[in-house]
Amino acid sequence: VELEQIDPVYFEQPYYLVPDRGAAKPYKLLLDSMSDLQRVALGKVVLRGKEHLVAIRPLNGALCIETMRYSDEVIPEEGLEGLPGEEVEPNKRELDMARQLIEALAGDFEPEKYHDEYREQVQDLIEKKAAGEEIVAEPLVEEPAKVVDLMAALEQSLARAGKGQAEG
């Protein structure tokens, strides 16, 4: 199939495929042919005792196999409750400010900037526990929900975004 036909919501986990010894030429032939035709192969594999739908696709000079969700595992938009309907319509000023804020905050994707902070905190706790430190959980306190003035929030965000760009 063509890659564009697969909505990214179906993809789960990527794994790179490398050729076995003596299979470099058939691997490269498949990689180049799929790249030229912009095609993706679909199939099924069993991982950890569970059958998975997979897509095999060329990615950065290698073949990548991605586990996928089955269609019954993807909730269609029609099945979502609470989405705003046509009765909720932002005015032109709100849209303009929101677009301006998005443009002010836009940048390139740099994956190295993002970290699994939860994992880092758990690792830190494990190290402290291993060092003999006593770990005490902090009580969870729920704060009451705030009513937000959308225009005021947009104006504050734009002001902060403008300062950040002026400094950077």
Side-chain angles (χ1 to χ4, degrees), residues 36-57:
D36 291 345
L37 295 171
Q38 297 181 356
R39 297 291 177 160
V40 175
L42 298 179
K44 292 183 179 181
V45 298
V46 176
L47 297 171
R48 294 178 217 98
K50 182 181 184 275
E51 184 178 75
H52 293 270
L53 176 65
V54 294
I56 302 171
R57 64 187 184 114

Side-chain angles (χ1 to χ4, degrees), residues 81-139:
E81 293 181 22
L83 288 180
E86 292 179 16
E87 73 281 356
V88 178
E89 195 63 41
N91 64 41
K92 182 178 178 351
R93 184 168 177 243
E94 291 168 334
L95 276 172
D96 289 344
M97 288 183 73
R99 289 179 181 137
Q100 188 179 356
L101 175 61
I102 290 168
E103 285 298 322
L105 296 173
D108 293 331
F109 177 57
E110 299 173 30
E112 63 278 356
K113 285 178 132 180
Y114 303 95
H115 303 271
D116 184 345
E117 293 175 19
Y118 177 79
R119 185 180 153 274
E120 291 170 357
Q121 290 171 357
V122 169
Q123 187 67 38
D124 185 48
L125 286 172
I126 290 170
E127 289 170 9
K128 287 179 179 178
K129 183 78 171 173
E133 199 173 314
E134 185 177 337
I135 307 299
V136 179
E138 295 179 21

